[in-house]
């Protein structure tokens, strides 16, 4: 799917150019679930689209009782999946806020995930929802051979998801996040896991971007020459390889992968490869994501700064 041309303003909505999803979000905000059911039912054999749509819809529904009402009135696999997605979001938000209800909400989320996996055993999405909560308990399964630091983590749960969908994008990102320092991991473990997972993936897979995600996550502006890391030969080589092997495949996506494109564009700009970054921004069209830009300041300002470096237009004042 080709992105639209940039017409002077950024579009921050996570649905991006999945117009069906954007329309469903309006219905969900109005308390209606019929369109959400239809939008998810058509993704039963497209796990990447199913993960994307269910996650976006959960963010719209998490502060309402829509999924509970949906599940009570029409207990389909899609209703069960959405309950799991919403319940996990609530549990994670409560845990991060140190809310007294966090443990109770986590129990509800686990029950919701169990119901969703029972309703659709071949669907990896409910298992990915469960994986999102793994960082709360630091699961300590031993790592497989091939990792220098052999960091323990939720390897068994991750392996089960891969048995259902070997290259599930969200699963890999959720799993990697378990090793971030802010979730009790370490810089070395995050590097190790990102490298291990990306090297396993096909050359044209978005999973090749995982090291760029770890690079942003481990960014420390107080370190000497922190902003020059992307100029190092190994990072330029990694970034250019992704540009050459993954970017051409984006035109065939059912929706523009804005977040992945943003990480690639950011790495290219930081590595002083503005010519290639310009092509990535063009593929993004007007769509924008807060990461990775928010790790460096105000996301809109950082995005505009990067686009200016490539000679591209940015939104005007106001």
């Amino acid at each position: 799917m080709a992105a639209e041309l940039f017409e002077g303003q950024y579009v921050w909505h996570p649905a991006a150019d999945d117009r069906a999803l954007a329309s469903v979000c309006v219905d969900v905000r109005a308390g209606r679930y019929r369109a959400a059911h239809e939008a998810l039912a058509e993704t039963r054999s497209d796990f990447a689209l199913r993960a994307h749509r269910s996650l976006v819809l959960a963010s719209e529904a998490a502060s309402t009782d829509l999924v509970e009402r949906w599940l009570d009135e029409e207990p389909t696999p899609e209703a069960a999946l959405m309950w799991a997605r919403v319940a996990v979001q609530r549990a994670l938000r409560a845990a991060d806020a140190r809310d007294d209800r966090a443990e109770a909400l986590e129990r509800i989320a686990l029950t919701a995930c169990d119901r969703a996996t029972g309703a659709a055993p071949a669907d990896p999405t409910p298992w990915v929802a469960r994986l999102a909560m793994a960082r709360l308990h630091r699961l300590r399964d031993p790592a497989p051979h091939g990792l220098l630091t052999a960091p323990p983590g939720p390897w068994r749960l991750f392996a089960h998801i891969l048995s259902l969908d070997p290259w599930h994008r969200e699963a890999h990102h959720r799993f990697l996040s378990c090793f971030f320092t802010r979730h009790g991991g370490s810089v070395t473990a995050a590097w190790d896991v990102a490298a291990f997972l990306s090297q396993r993936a096909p050359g044209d897979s978005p999973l090749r971007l995982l090291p760029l995600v770890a690079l942003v996550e481990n960014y420390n502006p107080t370190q000497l020459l922190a902003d020059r890391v992307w100029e190092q030969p190994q990072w330029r080589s990694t970034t250019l390889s992704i540009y050459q092997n993954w970017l051409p495949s984006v035109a065939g996506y059912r929706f523009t992968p804005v977040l992945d494109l943003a990480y690639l564009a950011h790495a290219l700009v930081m590595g002083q490869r503005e010519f290639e970054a310009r092509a990535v921004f063009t593929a993004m069209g007007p769509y924008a994501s807060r990461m990775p830009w928010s790790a460096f300041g105000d996301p809109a300002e950082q995005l505009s700064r990067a686009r200016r470096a490539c000679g591209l237009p940015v939104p005007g004042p106001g």
Side-chain angles (χ1 to χ4, degrees):
M1 176 181 287
E4 301 165 25
L5 294 176
F6 179 79
E7 294 183 349
Q9 295 296 327
Y10 300 134
V11 178
W12 296 95
H13 197 289
D17 52 355
D18 185 341
R19 287 201 174 91
L21 177 58
S23 175
V24 173
C25 286
V26 175
D27 272 21
V28 168
R29 286 195 292 271
R32 299 186 294 266
Y33 60 76
R34 171 57 55 187
H37 170 80
E38 294 171 357
L40 289 175
E42 72 166 293
T43 69
R44 289 181 181 177
S45 61
D46 186 338
F47 295 142
L49 190 61
R50 192 170 181 83
H52 171 65
R53 286 185 171 178
S54 61
L55 190 61
V56 172
L57 291 173
S59 68
E60 298 284 355
S63 61
T64 74
D65 67 348
L66 180 137
V67 293
E68 287 86 356
R69 183 161 45 82
W70 180 1
L71 192 66
D72 181 57
E73 295 174 1
E74 294 188 21
T76 62
E78 284 66 40
L81 171 60
M82 283 304 301
W83 184 40
R85 283 294 213 181
V86 164
V88 167
Q89 283 202 17
R90 291 170 179 164
L92 291 175
R93 289 174 183 174
D96 291 342
R98 302 188 183 280
D99 191 310
D100 291 340
R101 300 169 298 167
E103 288 189 14
L105 288 171
E106 185 181 354
R107 288 194 295 272
I108 292 171
L110 290 172
T111 299
C113 289
D114 286 344
R115 178 163 179 167
T117 56
D123 182 4
T125 324
W127 293 100
V128 175
R130 180 187 288 269
L131 179 61
M133 292 193 294
R135 64 176 174 82
L136 300 180
H137 298 292
R138 302 294 302 154
L139 298 179
R140 309 287 293 180
D141 304 333
H145 296 298
L147 286 94
L148 295 175
T149 61
W155 290 96
R156 289 192 184 93
L157 176 54
F158 184 54
H160 178 70
I161 295 169
L162 299 191
S163 73
L164 300 173
D165 185 0
W167 311 118
H168 197 286
R169 181 199 173 280
E170 185 187 341
H172 282 75
H173 282 263
R174 295 286 189 187
F175 184 69
L176 175 60
S177 73
C178 291
F179 301 92
F180 291 165
T181 54
R182 59 190 163 100
H183 295 153
S186 68
V187 171
T188 53
W191 288 130
D192 200 8
V193 171
F196 176 75
L197 296 179
S198 67
Q199 288 164 8
R200 289 177 62 254
D204 61 352
S205 168
L207 300 179
R208 290 283 179 160
L209 286 124
L210 289 170
L212 301 185
V213 175
L215 190 59
V216 170
E217 178 67 27
N218 295 330
Y219 172 72
N220 181 354
T222 66
Q223 290 181 339
L224 185 65
L225 302 177
D227 289 345
R228 304 294 294 273
V229 171
W230 286 264
E231 298 176 32
Q232 294 176 4
Q234 69 268 32
W235 288 113
R236 275 186 170 170
S237 175
T238 296
T239 305
L240 287 173
S241 176
I242 297 166
Y243 170 81
Q244 293 162 357
N245 296 301
W246 172 68
L247 184 63
S249 71
V250 169
Y253 280 41
R254 289 190 63 179
F255 61 92
T256 299
V258 179
L259 184 60
D260 289 333
L261 288 168
Y263 272 98
L264 178 55
H266 171 266
L268 288 166
V269 171
M270 295 293 280
Q272 298 186 352
R273 301 295 303 220
E274 288 85 358
F275 175 81
E276 291 84 357
R278 184 184 178 99
V280 180
F281 281 126
T282 300
M284 288 171 65
Y287 304 105
S289 62
R290 304 202 177 276
M291 286 295 288
W293 317 108
S294 60
F296 303 85
D298 177 81
E301 292 177 2
Q302 294 295 318
L303 174 55
S304 291
R305 179 180 176 185
R307 286 179 63 91
R308 284 193 200 98
C310 300
L312 292 169
V314 301

